[in-house]
Amino acid sequence: MTFINYAAREINCKIVYYGPGLCGKTTNIQFIYEKTNPAAKGKLISLATETDRTLFFDFMPLDLGTIQGFKTRFHLYTVPGQVFYDASRRLILKGVDGIVFVADSQESRFDANIESVDNLKANLKTYGYDIMTIPYVLQLNKRDLPTAVAADKLIQALRVKDEPVFEAVATTGQGVFETLKATARMVLLNLKQRSNSRSPVSV
Ligand SMILES: Nc1nc2c(ncn2[C@@H]2O[C@H](COP(=O)(O)OP(=O)(O)OP(=O)(O)O)[C@@H](O)[C@H]2O)c(=O)[nH]1
Ligand SMILES: [Mg+2]
């Protein structure tokens, strides 16, 4: 979970992009990387196969500047979507603070999206995390494709709670920053609520 270093006045949060194979998780992070000021970002690390499928994960640190006196940094990760990389997906979820579920809007990937949400719930459970309480955003990606299923139908099949939903075209960047900002906002709000509910420390 969120790592707060009080001595260095630093907050580190972890956001994971989850979803079925080829839904556009890496494309989201690549777009964010390309459009972010060099001073605010670290290296984008991608461990990929020769055909650009994510093998283990993508990783990118993103500085949000100082929030209430704490230097705030988000660590963005993607999981490999291919079904047989489940152990890697589970590992990457460890310590997650917020999740973006990237759905592939294409008709042919309808069932793959549902399976991936179920897989996410199961993997979260292995750590004792509950999808109902974790900051969570649903992104409907590939809205540009003619085979895209109606947004309402996807939402009905994929929504797990009252999470915000964004339509996106990750290749052009449409909806990418909206998705990230909503997730970051929820993570910070969650952090604030948790620190408020903690009993004051006497000194
Ligand atoms: N038309 C269209 N293509 C997209 C969109 N987003 C991603 N793609 C394409 O879909 C393919 C897969 O994208 P990736 O970002 O590699 O998918 P991924 O989810 O990281 O895939 P894995 O790493 O295998 O899980 C690439 O060819 C992208 O260019 C989109 O919004 N519209
Ligand atoms: Mg990928």
Side-chain angles (χ1 to χ4, degrees):
M1 291 286 141
T2 317
F3 177 68
I4 305 180
N5 182 336
Y6 286 95
R9 299 194 75 75
E10 266 182 20
I11 297 177
N12 289 288
C13 303
K14 180 175 185 176
I15 294 181
V16 175
Y17 284 71
Y18 209 94
L22 298 176
C23 65
K25 302 175 290 294
T26 297
T27 311
N28 263 270
I29 291 223
Q30 282 170 340
F31 185 81
I32 295 163
Y33 185 78
E34 281 160 23
K35 297 291 171 195
T36 304
N37 178 340
K41 68 188 177 191
K43 265 208 177 105
L44 171 64
I45 295 168
S46 289
L47 299 175
T49 67
E50 281 168 17
T51 53
D52 273 349
R53 306 295 304 268
T54 302
L55 186 59
F56 189 21
F57 60 76
D58 303 299
F59 167 72
M60 170 189 171
L62 182 66
D63 284 336
L64 256 64
T66 301
I67 301 178
Q68 293 184 5
F70 283 82
K71 206 175 148 204
T72 306
R73 177 175 294 157
F74 277 86
H75 292 188
L76 310 183
Y77 285 84
T78 77
V79 300
Q82 295 184 79
V83 174
F84 46 87
Y85 290 140
D86 198 38
S88 303
R89 271 195 296 280
R90 198 176 314 128
L91 203 63
I92 291 156
L93 281 177
K94 194 170 173 23
V96 67
D97 295 300
I99 298 167
V100 175
F101 186 86
V102 181
D104 189 325
S105 296
Q106 295 178 91
E107 178 89 67
S108 59
R109 299 300 281 158
F110 195 82
D111 291 342
N113 290 321
I114 295 172
E115 273 168 34
S116 184
V117 172
D118 288 343
N119 173 257
L120 169 63
K121 287 181 189 164
N123 278 336
L124 286 172
K125 227 180 232 169
T126 64
Y127 292 112
Y129 304 159
D130 183 1
I131 200 163
M132 300 311 283
T133 53
I134 221 157
Y136 183 81
V137 168
L138 172 62
Q139 182 190 75
L140 307 179
N141 191 33
K142 304 199 183 181
R143 296 310 299 163
D144 57 317
L145 292 177
T147 53
V149 173
D152 284 355
K153 200 175 161 198
L154 284 167
I155 293 169
Q156 205 184 359
L158 300 175
R159 207 175 215 177
V160 296
K161 48 184 176 181
D162 58 351
E163 74 269 25
V165 181
F166 294 92
E167 295 194 26
V169 181
T171 37
T172 64
Q174 187 195 314
V176 168
F177 274 101
E178 290 82 348
T179 303
L180 174 64
K181 276 183 197 157
T183 313
R185 200 174 303 131
M186 287 170 86
V187 168
L188 291 173
L189 198 67
N190 192 42
L191 186 65
K192 200 171 166 193
Q193 282 164 351
R194 277 189 294 140
S195 57
N196 282 350
S197 65
R198 224 176 283 146
S199 50
V201 183
S202 48
V203 280

